[in-house]
Amino acid sequence: MVKLLRETGVPIIYFGTDSATLLPAMKETGADVIGLDWRIPLDEGWSRLDHAIAVQGNLDPVLLFTEWNELKSRAQNILEKAAGRPGHIFNLGHGILPETPVEHVKDLARFVQEYSATSGSRSIPSASRKPKNGTRSS
């Protein structure tokens, strides 16, 4: 299937839930990116792929319902495990749930963007502070 899809010229992302044991086989398919769910630490999953392929993931989507400090901490942990390597696409480790608070998604996206922009420096992204709307604490 991946061979046929390659003919379209569109990048191919291969994702499966609870598939940590299948990561080496998933890499062999020739997909451009392997999606990692939240059940495997990012650094461990990427290591199983020999850091030879881009990865996408892997925040548990349920965390978007938690308090900001917990959500930020978990997102930061994933970003730290990516260690600034090229080829990491920050994403959820599965789909977003319909009831997910939109403001939490916006705050997370802002944090990831600012963290990524400052990851080479010691500055703290402004999204790590209380969001402007004041609805969540840091």
Side-chain angles (χ1 to χ4, degrees):
M1 181 169 62
V2 171
K3 280 184 184 180
L4 291 173
L5 289 172
R6 280 217 159 283
E7 295 174 14
T8 67
V10 175
I12 300 164
I13 300 171
Y14 188 150
F15 176 76
T17 59
D18 205 14
S19 57
T21 58
L22 300 175
L23 291 174
M26 291 167 73
K27 177 183 159 192
E28 290 177 18
T29 66
D32 299 294
V33 179
I34 301 295
L36 302 174
D37 73 9
W38 69 94
R39 293 175 184 98
I40 185 169
L42 181 87
D43 55 344
E44 183 181 332
W46 212 353
S47 179
R48 289 186 190 182
L49 297 166
D50 301 319
H51 296 100
I53 187 169
V55 293
Q56 176 175 294
N58 67 332
L59 185 74
D60 183 348
V62 172
L63 289 169
L64 287 165
F65 291 91
T66 65
E67 293 295 321
W68 175 241
N69 282 339
E70 181 67 15
L71 176 57
K72 183 185 119 211
S73 173
R74 298 287 193 93
Q76 185 170 343
N77 180 268
I78 290 169
L79 292 165
E80 287 171 355
K81 288 181 182 212
R85 286 183 203 92
H88 174 240
I89 303 165
F90 187 94
N91 203 344
L92 300 177
H94 202 279
I96 194 165
L97 301 167
E99 304 84 13
T100 300
V102 174
E103 285 303 314
H104 294 197
V105 177
K106 289 178 181 179
D107 290 343
L108 176 62
R110 188 171 23 259
F111 173 74
V112 171
Q113 290 168 344
E114 291 180 8
Y115 183 96
S116 299
T118 62
S119 63
S121 69
R122 302 300 283 169
S123 63
I124 299 170
S126 63
S128 65
R129 297 186 293 271
K130 188 174 181 180
K132 290 182 184 179
N133 64 17
T135 59
R136 295 165 59 199
S137 62
S138 61

